[in-house]
């Protein structure tokens, strides 16, 4: 009889100890924890949950999911619950709305459980405000990096642009003088004026290219024919290349369309061509540009850093310059790494190119041999 009484008492004590441990863990957790039924009624919540919602425990238990989710995210909650019923565990980002209307972004981990013998949802909501601010700061720094590199690229091209403008001005001056002579002789100056207009339009186009390339604001991604950007950059950079460097384009009439930011693609093209120019500036050489459609299968996707499988457009820029030493190959995409002389570059270019290509869901590879050239 004595043993029969002692065993239930031992079980009760063990159960109480287990309950206390649970409540200690529940209340000591650093994240907000909620228990709710599938209709959304909150059944339980810990100390952090009350703090995030600016509510007492009593008031929190009168709320439903729709009361505490931000209005922006509330319409998606039923869909999330359907997904949870299928998968039993889901993780997603959402936002809580506190009693004072403060919005708290969170990463929610929801798991289907049994609570008091009824189906329920256990949600652990981690505040990700700091993470979001850090991501915003990173995005700001990336934007500043791209802008600094744009200025560097324009500096590299300044000599060629000045040369191009000088040719345009000489043309305008010459045809203006011809028009003046024709007018004084009673002849029709129309042809000369037409040539002045053509030269002026060319100057305007050059200015627009420079302004669009250097502007701070970024465009939204849109449907873009890459070949048009490639041709535009080759036309612009031709003036800065020495006469001993030949430009060869292949498949530049490929009018395939991709979703991209045209200004950033312009920047990629300008940067890689500027690097090729620098590699061949002390002698003759050839700048080859090729544009082809490719199908990326599973193996190639893995070799390209895990990009998605499917159709892509491949841009190849090849020079016959001095090449990249093997010891530099692993570092060329690092910010501020440069093998150029002081004052000739900041080392931002390829880091920005890599960032832009990655943000477009693409990949960049490089092959180089010292003394023979480089292909991106």
């Amino acid at each position: 009889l004595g043993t029969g009484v002692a065993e239930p008492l031992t079980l009760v004590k063990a159960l109480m100890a287990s309950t206390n441990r649970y409540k200690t863990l529940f209340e000591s957790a650093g994240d907000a924890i909620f228990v709710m039924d599938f209709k959304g009624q909150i059944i339980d919540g810990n100390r952090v949950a009350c703090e995030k919602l600016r509510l007492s425990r009593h008031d929190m238990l009168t709320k439903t999911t729709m009361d505490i989710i931000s209005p922006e995210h509330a319409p998606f909650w039923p869909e999330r619950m359907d997904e949870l019923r299928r998968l039993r565990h889901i993780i997603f980002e959402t936002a809580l709305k506190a009693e004072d209307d403060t919005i708290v972004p969170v990463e929610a981990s929801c798991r289907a459980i049994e609570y008091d013998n009824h189906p329920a949802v256990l949600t652990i909501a981690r505040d990700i405000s700091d993470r979001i601010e850090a991501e915003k700061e990173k995005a700001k720094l990336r934007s500043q990096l791209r802008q600094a590199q744009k200025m560097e690229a324009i500096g590299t091209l300044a000599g060629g642009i000045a040369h191009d403008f000088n040719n345009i001005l000489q043309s305008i001056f010459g045809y203006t003088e011809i028009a003046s002579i024709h007018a004084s002789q009673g002849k029709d100056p129309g042809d000369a004026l037409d040539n002045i207009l053509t030269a002026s339009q060319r100057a305007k186009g050059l200015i627009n290219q420079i302004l669009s390339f250097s502007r701070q604001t970024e465009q939204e991604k849109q449907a873009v024919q890459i070949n048009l950007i490639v041709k535009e950059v080759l036309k612009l950079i031709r003036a800065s290349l020495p006469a001993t460097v030949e430009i060869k384009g292949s498949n530049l009439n490929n009018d395939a369309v991709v979703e991209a930011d045209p200004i950033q693609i312009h920047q990629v093209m300008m940067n890689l061509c500027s690097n090729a120019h620098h590699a061949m500036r002390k002698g003759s050489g050839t700048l080859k540009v090729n544009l082809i459609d490719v199908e990326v299968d599973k193996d190639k996707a893995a070799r390209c850093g895990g990009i998605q499988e499917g159709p892509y457009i491949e841009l190849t820029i090849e020079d016959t310059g001095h090449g990249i030493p093997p010891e530099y190959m692993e570092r060329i995409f690092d910010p501020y790494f440069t093998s150029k002389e002081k004052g000739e570059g900041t080392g931002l270019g390829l880091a920005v190119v890599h960032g832009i290509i990655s943000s477009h869901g693409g990949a960049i590879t490089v092959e180089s041999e010292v003394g023979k050239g480089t292909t991106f």
Side-chain angles (χ1 to χ4, degrees):
L1 181 63
T3 303
V5 173
E7 284 181 355
L9 287 174
T10 301
L11 289 173
V12 168
K13 287 180 179 180
L15 184 59
M16 290 178 65
S18 177
T19 302
N20 287 334
R21 283 196 298 272
Y22 157 74
K23 289 199 68 68
T24 299
L25 292 171
F26 188 69
E27 294 298 335
S28 300
D31 299 323
I33 302 177
F34 301 92
V35 179
M36 59 195 74
D37 62 27
F38 274 92
K39 293 180 180 178
Q41 180 63 49
I42 297 175
I43 303 168
D44 202 354
N46 68 349
R47 172 187 55 82
V48 176
C50 295
E51 291 174 357
K52 295 295 180 186
L53 297 177
R54 313 287 198 273
L55 288 170
S56 67
R57 178 179 170 78
H58 176 271
D59 288 339
M60 181 175 64
L61 298 183
T62 66
K63 303 291 184 181
T64 67
T65 307
M66 292 297 110
D67 297 323
I68 67 167
I69 294 291
S70 74
E72 182 183 355
H73 293 268
F76 303 105
W77 192 260
E79 183 182 331
R80 297 291 189 192
M81 291 301 97
D82 289 341
E83 187 180 8
L84 179 62
R85 286 187 179 94
R86 292 196 316 272
L87 303 178
R88 311 302 290 173
H89 180 221
I90 58 174
I91 299 175
F92 57 94
E93 290 186 8
T94 184
L96 301 177
K97 180 174 73 70
E99 191 68 8
D100 60 0
D101 291 331
T102 300
I103 300 298
V104 183
V106 297
E107 181 182 74
S109 174
C110 295
R111 187 174 294 277
I113 62 169
E114 288 287 322
Y115 192 83
D116 286 342
N117 296 319
H118 294 287
V121 180
L122 173 67
T123 300
I124 301 175
R126 174 162 294 177
D127 189 334
I128 56 173
S129 301
D130 291 343
R131 183 204 300 176
I132 289 174
E133 284 303 313
E135 288 172 354
K136 286 180 180 177
E137 187 62 27
K138 282 183 181 178
K140 181 180 176 183
L141 290 173
R142 283 196 296 267
S143 177
Q144 291 172 347
L145 180 66
R146 284 196 296 268
Q147 187 64 17
Q149 194 277 324
K150 285 180 184 180
M151 296 301 102
E152 181 191 353
I154 285 179
T156 301
L157 292 168
I161 290 168
H163 175 75
D164 211 15
F165 259 110
N166 187 57
N167 288 340
I168 292 170
L169 289 173
Q170 289 297 327
S171 177
I172 291 173
F173 290 150
Y175 282 113
T176 300
E177 189 173 348
I178 291 171
S180 179
I181 293 170
H182 283 180
S184 66
Q185 294 176 348
K187 296 179 181 179
D188 182 9
D191 287 343
L193 292 175
D194 286 343
N195 285 318
I196 292 170
L197 181 60
T198 299
S200 300
Q201 288 172 339
R202 186 179 172 211
K204 180 183 177 182
L206 189 59
I207 290 169
N208 286 339
Q209 286 177 355
I210 297 165
L211 290 177
S212 66
F213 179 63
S214 63
R215 72 169 180 252
Q216 182 77 37
T217 55
E218 295 181 16
Q219 295 186 345
E220 293 291 327
K221 289 178 182 176
Q222 56 189 266
V224 175
Q225 281 185 228
I226 298 296
N227 68 320
L228 298 181
I229 297 175
V230 170
K231 290 178 180 179
E232 181 181 294
V233 172
L234 291 180
K235 182 179 177 182
L236 182 59
I237 203 168
R238 172 69 272 181
S240 66
L241 290 172
T244 53
V245 173
E246 181 184 6
I247 295 178
K248 288 185 177 180
S250 302
N251 304 306
L252 299 190
N253 289 324
N254 182 332
D255 58 0
V257 174
V258 299
E259 186 180 18
D261 178 338
I263 300 302
Q264 289 189 352
I265 300 302
H266 192 287
Q267 186 173 1
V268 167
M269 182 68 189
M270 185 78 84
N271 191 291
L272 294 176
C273 286
S274 295
N275 281 357
H277 164 210
H278 187 273
M280 298 184 291
R281 64 179 180 168
K282 294 182 180 179
S284 61
T286 303
L287 172 62
K288 297 179 182 177
V289 180
N290 188 28
L291 206 56
I292 61 171
D293 296 327
V294 295
E295 188 71 25
V296 174
D297 58 20
K298 186 176 181 180
D299 291 339
K300 188 167 184 177
R303 291 197 303 272
C304 290
I307 60 175
Q308 296 293 317
E309 298 174 46
Y312 284 77
I313 190 161
E314 182 177 88
L315 170 65
T316 303
I317 297 172
E318 180 182 353
D319 66 65
T320 55
H322 51 61
I324 302 170
E327 62 269 24
Y328 291 166
M329 288 293 283
E330 291 185 1
R331 301 180 59 196
I332 60 172
F333 294 113
D334 293 349
Y336 301 108
F337 174 76
T338 179
S339 60
K340 296 176 182 176
E341 297 293 329
K342 186 176 180 181
E344 292 187 339
T346 62
L348 299 177
L350 288 177
V352 170
V353 166
H354 187 277
I356 290 173
I357 296 300
S358 297
S359 72
H360 281 74
I364 181 167
T365 60
V366 57
E367 295 177 3
S368 187
E369 188 174 346
V370 174
K372 292 193 174 181
T374 303
T375 302
F376 284 95

